[in-house]
Amino acid sequence: MSRHRIVKNLDLDEELDDFDGGDDYDDDEGTGDAMDEAEKAKMRDCVSQVRQRLEIDAPQIADKDIEDSLWHYYYDVDKTLAWLKKQHLGKGTEKNKKSGHAPAVSNGTRNKQNAFRTSVPQSSQPCPGFSVEDFFRDTPWLNVPLHRRSEILIEPLYPHGGLLGGSSTATGPPKVSKLAALAAARRKKEENKAATLADENTKPRNHQTPLKRISSKHNGQPESPIKLGDSPVGTSQVDGNPAKDPHSREDTRSSKKSAVKDVWATPSEFAKTMLGTHGHGPPHQSTNVAASALGGIDSDILPMAESNAFAGPSPDDIVIAAQSNKGRKGVKPAPQQAENGAGKQVTNGIQSLSLSEASKVKSKNLDVLEEFNKDKGKAAANFVVIGHVDHGKSTLMGRLLVDLQVVQSRTLEKYRKEAENIGKSSFALAWVLDQTTEERNRGVTMDIATNKFETEKTKFTILDAPGHRDFIPNMIAGASQADFAVLVIDGGPNAFESGLKGQTKEHALLVRSMGVQRLIVAVNKLDTIEWSKDRFEEIQQQTTAFLTIAGFQTKNLRFVPCSGLTGENVARPVKDPKASWYTGSTLVELLDESEPAARALEKPLRLTISDIFRGGVQNPLSISGRVDAGSLQVGDVVLAMPSGEKASIKGVELDEESRDWAVAGQIVTLHLTDIDAVHLKPGDVLSSPTSPISCPTTLTVKLLAFDHLLPQPIELHRGRLHAPARISELIATLEKSTGEVLKKRPKVVKPGHVVRVRVVIEVEGGVPLEVGDRVVLRAGGETVGAGLVE
């Protein structure tokens, strides 16, 4: 059988029962090896020594107690005597017997195992004769005589050569460079100055607190140093006793320090450089924090070191100055700055500080409102073009620009050839506004396209919004900059009905929620249905009913039939006899009849950033956006929120022309300086530093519900700004016309109802919003509500 099999079949219980513990284990704790003859002789010798050294009146101590103590302390007579005196001859003998623990041995036998188990003799009261010197008397390195103490100096193996390539010679000292000579002279000067200060420290000094020293220095009075050992408060009293003479206090303090050894060392070169040369003498002349920790020594107040190792020029500076001045005789070196020159510079710098930040760009300090009133130019207006996808918005605006000769005919021919090459010849007019390659390949507008044109009365800015539902946030950004809107509707069969179920309805609700009140409805593509009057009146009737429910007033609605592809009734009247029933204005005439919007000129500056770009070599950082309120001019300092960074306006452009100022309602381009582009993003707001816009994290919003509302996560939109948020509470439903509370804390709100909700912004630092701003709430790609911040 193998050895592993034997081990595996071993019965451990049987083996453990038969195990007797071996030779090293005793059944009886008292049985063990007794002392041998040598130990007994040593024990008798130690007992006799203890008996001789004990006092006369100590015969009551039994030999057994002495033997137990000697065995416990390993035959140490001194420790045995100390313990026996404490136990039998002390004042608290009875008390010590009750609280102490005598050394225990078993049955009179003493072996090493039982001696290890005995308890250490203890007492509840400390030994009255305990001495630190006796306790550490066997430590050799603490008892070195003074005459044997010395400093260990190790001589270098080779002599030091000079600095900067200096070498030693066999006949004389090593060659020293100019830099080394200057350094040696500087060290000698510092040593002489230190010796002078040490002599001054030995002279009697007048008492003066550090606060008085500072005040006397500012008042021009000579500074009186503090005498060593004086109290920080000259007239103070301790425990009701008047302050004694400083010399008597010095004597008292010196008597307390007698038990403390002289453990101070010479300060290092680094300490001399940083703290000056004061206090290099014995302990009673220097401030040492360790003294108070070791022996309760009071720290003396020392004067601050007036010398600064870095106040003057360095050796390198001296050498460079000497080399630069070499050969220019008669030119005196500039005098060194006084010791308090740095303090004067700091004081002057603090006094020159001001709270208002001056712009680095020079401003003309114009009265912008007065300049705006003097301006007799054309009125300016911005309108956004909205509607369902593929209803011809971009084509209609492209035809308008071509007919008004804003776009040259050869440019249009170029677009037609490029469109024919990809099989989309009808998209040539749309390419006037759709400039990106992706928009042209997909055939849909993806972002806000801007262009400008002028009529006899007004300068217009076109904001062509995308009609696809995936780009609703871009449409919201365009609608937030518009004064009024142009709603384009496809008059073809079933096109109007599909749009009314899609983005035609949503866009109309959004622009009304964004504050747009005037709306021009352009019924497009009527040439495809032979300019049917019935179809036009049907679309007009249904659209009017819907827009009235959405919040538009009938007097602010205008309808016009047109054809964007042929250009009829866009900039010129329609000539088709089938459209003779319409005798109204063209689309351009309706645009020119629009009234200018009210401008918030008197309010603080608010400009929402819509785009950030590089304006050129001279203008590395430029932004564009609409001035919502207030005014600005070149040289103004603006505050970007929510980053809180300030910037200076380097230049202003309006309609691609440089201007000195801009007012509310204008879409401008600003060239900024003194700010990094990382602190700006679309949707941020530029405001006045004196009246910054707030950045709340919790809002109360009055909403018109487009879908069922309940506490849910949402996205909050305002112009280019969009931030994650959530509806935390439905406060109450309101009556549309009066605003009265109909129901408090509803669980769900149906579409078409007005509700007051609490919105929590889930962005660190909040978003730049204030009371009166219009916001849109979206969730899951759908618009669920829009309204005002309360």
Side-chain angles (χ1 to χ4, degrees):
M1 183 182 294
S2 64
R3 184 174 301 173
H4 297 287
R5 182 65 59 86
I6 294 173
V7 174
K8 184 176 180 181
N9 297 332
L10 186 64
D11 189 356
L12 296 179
D13 295 336
E14 182 179 355
E15 294 293 334
L16 290 175
D17 292 340
D18 297 339
F19 181 68
D20 58 355
D23 297 336
D24 295 336
Y25 289 85
D26 298 328
D27 296 336
D28 188 5
E29 185 181 359
T31 62
D33 297 335
M35 292 189 301
D36 54 9
E37 294 299 331
E39 291 180 346
K40 293 179 180 179
K42 188 175 182 179
M43 177 63 70
R44 289 193 296 270
D45 185 22
C46 292
V47 170
S48 62
Q49 294 180 19
V50 172
R51 283 294 185 184
Q52 293 176 4
R53 297 176 60 178
L54 279 175
E55 297 180 2
I56 300 175
D57 55 347
Q60 69 273 18
I61 302 177
D63 292 341
K64 183 178 180 300
D65 295 338
I66 298 176
E67 292 177 358
D68 292 344
S69 299
L70 287 172
W71 182 263
H72 176 78
Y73 287 115
Y74 297 96
Y75 305 104
D76 192 330
V77 177
D78 295 336
K79 293 184 179 180
T80 301
L81 285 171
W83 187 81
L84 291 173
K85 290 180 180 181
K86 181 179 66 174
Q87 291 294 324
H88 298 278
L89 303 179
K91 296 181 179 180
T93 303
E94 298 298 331
K95 184 177 180 179
N96 292 334
K97 287 181 179 180
K98 293 180 181 180
S99 60
H101 300 277
V105 291
S106 302
N107 300 328
T109 61
R110 303 169 181 86
N111 49 35
K112 296 181 180 180
Q113 177 182 359
N114 295 334
F116 180 78
R117 296 180 180 178
T118 54
S119 59
V120 179
Q122 298 178 355
S123 176
S124 60
Q125 297 182 359
C127 179
F130 179 78
S131 175
V132 177
E133 297 181 358
D134 294 340
F135 189 81
F136 291 101
R137 69 179 183 276
D138 55 348
T139 307
W141 55 83
L142 295 180
N143 299 321
V144 180
L146 294 177
H147 66 278
R148 297 182 59 184
R149 301 180 186 178
S150 63
E151 297 182 0
I152 300 176
L153 300 177
I154 302 176
E155 295 294 336
L157 298 177
Y158 304 99
H160 292 288
L163 298 176
L164 299 180
S167 61
S168 59
T169 60
T171 58
K175 183 180 178 181
V176 181
S177 65
K178 294 181 179 180
L179 186 60
L182 290 173
R186 187 178 182 85
R187 284 196 301 271
K188 185 176 180 180
K189 184 178 178 180
E190 292 293 338
E191 291 175 359
N192 295 337
K193 192 172 184 179
T196 304
L197 293 174
D199 295 340
E200 293 179 358
N201 289 338
T202 58
K203 299 178 181 179
R205 300 182 178 184
N206 298 328
H207 167 73
Q208 195 174 19
T209 61
L211 184 59
K212 293 182 179 180
R213 293 175 61 246
I214 296 174
S215 60
S216 63
K217 182 183 290 188
H218 286 285
N219 296 332
Q221 300 177 2
E223 179 183 356
S224 60
I226 302 173
K227 184 176 180 180
L228 298 175
D230 289 349
S231 173
V233 183
T235 59
S236 64
Q237 294 183 359
V238 181
D239 298 334
N241 297 328
K244 298 180 180 180
D245 184 65
H247 300 286
S248 62
R249 291 186 60 191
E250 188 72 24
D251 298 337
T252 305
R253 199 175 292 143
S254 61
S255 62
K256 295 180 180 179
K257 302 175 186 177
S258 58
V260 183
K261 299 285 185 179
D262 185 5
V263 294
W264 281 267
T266 305
S268 62
E269 293 297 331
F270 179 78
K272 292 178 181 178
T273 303
M274 299 304 296
L275 303 177
T277 57
H278 288 288
H280 295 170
H284 65 277
Q285 293 182 358
S286 62
T287 302
N288 197 319
V289 180
S292 59
L294 291 175
I297 303 175
D298 299 332
S299 299
D300 299 329
I301 300 176
L302 294 178
M304 297 298 294
E306 298 177 356
S307 62
N308 188 356
F310 303 98
S314 65
D316 293 339
D317 296 337
I318 297 175
V319 172
I320 294 173
Q323 292 175 354
S324 62
N325 294 332
K326 186 176 181 180
R328 296 189 300 170
K329 297 182 179 180
V331 180
K332 297 182 179 180
Q336 295 184 0
Q337 188 179 5
E339 293 182 0
N340 59 350
K344 290 183 179 179
Q345 289 183 356
V346 174
T347 304
N348 296 334
I350 294 175
Q351 293 177 354
S352 62
L353 291 177
S354 59
L355 295 178
S356 60
E357 293 191 18
S359 173
K360 296 181 180 180
V361 183
K362 187 176 181 180
S363 176
K364 296 183 179 180
N365 296 323
L366 301 175
D367 188 349
V368 178
L369 298 183
E370 183 178 354
E371 295 292 332
F372 174 71
N373 294 328
K374 291 180 180 179
D375 189 8
K376 301 299 181 181
K378 297 180 180 180
N382 313 316
F383 67 90
V384 59
V385 184
I386 59 176
H388 193 64
V389 63
D390 292 336
H391 277 205
K393 299 183 296 299
S394 298
T395 302
L396 180 62
M397 291 299 104
R399 170 59 65 181
L400 186 148
L401 294 174
V402 170
D403 291 349
L404 294 178
Q405 298 181 357
V406 177
V407 178
Q408 298 180 1
S409 58
R410 57 184 177 182
T411 303
L412 180 60
E413 290 297 328
K414 175 185 175 182
Y415 291 158
R416 283 177 178 171
K417 291 181 181 180
E418 293 177 355
E420 289 176 356
N421 292 335
I422 62 175
K424 298 180 179 180
S425 58
S426 61
F427 284 28
L429 292 172
W431 285 9
V432 174
L433 293 174
D434 297 342
Q435 296 291 328
T436 64
T437 303
E438 188 175 3
E439 287 179 331
R440 293 181 177 182
N441 292 335
R442 296 181 59 177
V444 295
T445 303
M446 301 174 62
D447 201 353
I448 293 292
T450 60
N451 214 318
K452 300 178 184 296
F453 69 93
E454 295 184 13
T455 62
E456 296 180 356
K457 299 180 180 179
T458 312
K459 295 180 179 180
F460 288 100
T461 300
I462 302 175
L463 301 169
D464 187 19
H468 199 279
R469 60 179 299 175
D470 293 342
F471 309 110
I472 291 296
N474 295 336
M475 177 267 165
I476 295 173
S480 63
Q481 305 178 51
D483 299 322
F484 63 96
V486 175
L487 175 61
V488 179
I489 295 177
D490 188 351
N494 300 323
F496 165 69
E497 288 75 11
S498 62
L500 197 61
K501 298 177 182 179
Q503 271 58 59
T504 299
K505 177 181 180 181
E506 185 175 6
H507 283 195
L509 291 173
L510 285 174
V511 295
R512 183 65 190 92
S513 301
M514 299 300 292
V516 175
Q517 298 181 1
R518 292 181 291 112
L519 187 66
I520 297 176
V521 181
V523 183
N524 193 22
K525 301 182 182 182
L526 279 184
D527 58 323
T528 60
I529 57 173
E530 303 294 334
W531 296 93
S532 174
K533 180 181 180 181
D534 295 338
R535 180 63 172 170
F536 176 78
E537 291 179 349
E538 178 186 2
I539 293 174
Q540 181 179 4
Q541 182 180 2
Q542 294 185 22
T543 305
T544 302
F546 159 69
L547 294 176
T548 303
I549 296 174
F552 289 95
Q553 297 181 5
T554 306
K555 63 178 182 179
N556 293 329
L557 299 177
R558 301 296 298 272
F559 289 83
V560 54
C562 61
S563 174
L565 188 62
T566 61
E568 293 176 297
N569 212 36
V570 177
R572 50 185 173 81
V574 59
K575 296 180 180 180
D576 194 330
K578 297 179 181 179
S580 59
W581 52 268
Y582 181 76
T583 57
S585 303
T586 63
L587 177 60
V588 174
E589 290 174 352
L590 289 179
L591 293 174
D592 209 10
E593 292 175 2
S594 60
E595 299 178 358
R599 303 174 185 267
L601 301 177
E602 302 294 339
K603 294 184 178 181
L605 174 64
R606 298 289 186 268
L607 186 147
T608 304
I609 299 175
S610 60
D611 193 12
I612 303 172
F613 57 94
R614 181 180 176 87
V617 178
Q618 297 181 352
N619 302 310
L621 180 59
S622 302
I623 62 101
S624 64
R626 184 176 187 267
V627 183
D628 299 325
S631 60
L632 55 88
Q633 60 178 310
V634 175
D636 284 352
V637 177
V638 294
L639 181 66
M641 296 298 287
S643 65
E645 297 291 330
K646 293 184 179 180
S648 300
I649 300 177
K650 185 180 179 181
V652 179
E653 288 187 10
L654 179 63
D655 299 335
E656 298 182 355
E657 296 180 358
S658 297
R659 298 285 295 271
D660 293 331
W661 51 270
V663 296
Q666 297 176 342
I667 299 177
V668 298
T669 298
L670 301 183
H671 305 297
L672 302 180
T673 184
D674 300 336
I675 191 173
D676 198 296
V678 298
H679 300 301
L680 299 175
K681 61 181 182 297
D684 288 358
V685 177
L686 299 183
S687 60
S688 173
T690 57
S691 300
I693 189 172
S694 60
C695 294
T697 57
T698 303
L699 305 172
T700 301
V701 185
K702 181 180 178 182
L703 289 177
L704 172 63
F706 295 173
D707 201 345
H708 290 85
L709 287 180
L710 63 157
Q712 61 186 25
I714 57 170
E715 289 185 0
L716 185 140
H717 294 260
R718 179 191 177 273
R720 288 287 184 181
L721 169 67
H722 54 90
R726 59 183 174 87
I727 299 177
S728 62
E729 181 184 0
L730 301 176
I731 300 176
T733 55
L734 308 176
E735 206 278 327
K736 287 185 179 181
S737 57
T738 62
E740 295 180 358
V741 176
L742 299 179
K743 184 179 180 180
K744 293 183 179 180
R745 303 180 66 84
K747 294 182 179 180
V748 65
V749 177
K750 296 180 180 181
H753 289 198
V754 178
V755 61
R756 180 178 288 115
V757 300
R758 181 167 288 107
V759 178
V760 177
I761 308 297
E762 296 181 345
V763 175
E764 184 178 359
V767 293
L769 290 172
E770 56 187 356
V771 177
D773 288 344
R774 297 180 179 271
V775 295
V776 177
L777 306 185
R778 291 175 58 81
E782 299 289 341
T783 303
V784 296
L788 289 171
V789 177
E790 293 184 337

